[in-house]
Amino acid sequence: MFEDRYGQDVLAGDWRKKNRVVAREVEAVTDLVIEELGGFCGAITRVEAKTVELEDYRGKRRVFPMGAGFLLEGEPVVLVVPKRAPTGRARTASGSFAVETTARVARASRIFVEGRHDAELVERVWGDDLRVEGVVVEYLAGVDHLDAALAEFRPGPDRRVGVLVDHLVRGSKEQRIADAVMAGPNGRNVLIVGHPYVDVWQAVKPARVGLQEWPTIPRSIEWKKGICQAFGWPHDTQADIARAWKRILGQVRTFNDLEPELLGRVEQLIDFVTVD
């Protein structure tokens, strides 16, 4: 029998499907950071039936056709219009059952956080719950200002203060400040808790920004600028840092996107300041 030295006909079968990557469908939800194959990367700001608008970290916006031609964390995806929310009792971003009610009049008690980014992250996940409970979140511009803020606020049994502190670990400056406050005259009406991260950015799960873990930044480099350098993002000005945070915050949609070390502490503070 004659032997076919050249093997099977390469055109036999559906050769066009060979090695083809099948892109999965992803709902085009607001704030999802996506990359268009032409290189434009940004957060989704508006979705129409046939188009999607992206805004990059510089604030530039572009509109693209809905469908194929996008990357999510390096993986080809097809953008689709989000499905309607399922029926049944809705939940907030924190996982609580949504309550159909107007915001409660603000309580006298407060939650203090260190900075603007902390406040924005708490608002992103717990904002609905805080409005229902009437809890206002204020930021200190650094834990060094905690003593002065408490002296001005004058905590009491009906004016409790919960404080969320970054990098609250044994031997740190933050721990020393917390210990001094709790041992002082305000200690009975103040609760100070914290997470172990250098900055609240690290409380976002690294997978949400395409990492296996957050980079280790040398102490000689300002942490946020070092993170931006590691990503290849602009980092020279405060505006650059603000845009970087906007990109990271845009990846947070629910409590599942945050580390448990932060989740438990915020819930603890909410319980403390809402005791009637």
Side-chain angles (χ1 to χ4, degrees), residues 3-201:
E3 181 179 358
D4 183 358
R5 293 183 299 167
Y6 301 101
Q8 186 178 1
D9 183 356
V10 296
L11 298 182
D14 192 351
W15 56 272
R16 291 169 297 183
K17 292 184 178 180
K18 187 175 181 181
N19 296 326
R20 181 184 299 175
V21 176
V22 179
R24 64 185 177 94
E25 291 188 347
V26 171
E27 293 188 3
V29 295
T30 302
D31 292 330
L32 177 67
V33 176
I34 205 84
E35 181 180 358
E36 189 266 336
L37 288 181
F40 188 87
C41 181
I44 295 175
T45 53
R46 190 175 72 247
V47 176
E48 304 291 347
K50 296 183 179 180
T51 61
V52 59
E53 180 185 73
L54 305 182
E55 179 181 345
D56 70 6
Y57 63 85
R58 297 186 179 90
K60 182 179 180 180
R61 297 190 178 193
R62 291 183 59 184
V63 176
F64 299 95
M66 186 74 72
F70 298 92
L71 298 174
L72 177 60
E73 298 178 358
E75 174 191 355
V77 295
V78 176
L79 289 184
V80 297
V81 176
K83 299 175 183 177
R84 296 182 60 184
T87 58
R89 193 172 180 186
R91 289 183 179 270
T92 67
S94 71
S96 303
F97 284 114
V99 177
E100 295 294 332
T101 184
T102 56
R104 175 173 172 166
V105 175
R107 295 174 182 264
S109 299
R110 293 286 187 272
I111 290 178
F112 291 168
V113 297
E114 284 205 57
R116 182 185 297 274
H117 295 174
D118 306 71
E120 290 173 346
L121 186 59
V122 170
E123 165 62 27
R124 172 62 63 97
V125 176
W126 289 275
D128 291 337
D129 307 77
L130 294 171
R131 280 181 283 279
V132 169
E133 295 291 349
V135 177
V136 174
V137 175
E138 300 180 5
Y139 64 90
L140 301 166
V143 72
D144 294 327
H145 300 111
L146 178 56
D147 266 333
L150 291 175
E152 180 180 355
F153 186 79
R154 292 183 296 175
D158 299 320
R159 291 171 59 81
R160 290 182 160 198
V161 175
V163 185
L164 179 68
V165 177
D166 297 341
H167 197 233
L168 191 63
V169 296
R170 186 181 300 276
S172 66
K173 174 193 74 173
E174 292 81 2
Q175 186 66 65
R176 291 192 294 273
I177 292 174
D179 290 344
V181 170
M182 296 303 294
N186 292 315
R188 181 177 299 179
N189 302 303
V190 175
L191 174 65
I192 303 176
V193 299
H195 55 75
Y197 308 115
V198 174
D199 190 275
V200 77
W201 290 18

Side-chain angles (χ1 to χ4, degrees), residues 31 120-121 124 244-253:
D31 292 330
E120 290 173 346
L121 186 59
R124 172 62 63 97
W245 169 239
K246 183 177 180 181
R247 294 181 70 173
I248 295 169
L249 183 63
Q251 292 301 298
V252 177
R253 294 186 289 276

Side-chain angles (χ1 to χ4, degrees), residues 196-228:
Y197 308 115
V198 174
D199 190 275
V200 77
W201 290 18
Q202 283 183 292
V204 178
K205 290 182 177 177
R208 294 303 306 140
V209 291
L211 301 173
Q212 290 187 338
E213 59 183 14
W214 285 93
T216 299
I217 306 301
R219 291 190 177 185
S220 59
I221 299 175
E222 186 179 339
W223 192 85
K224 288 175 181 175
K225 289 188 175 182
I227 290 297
C228 292

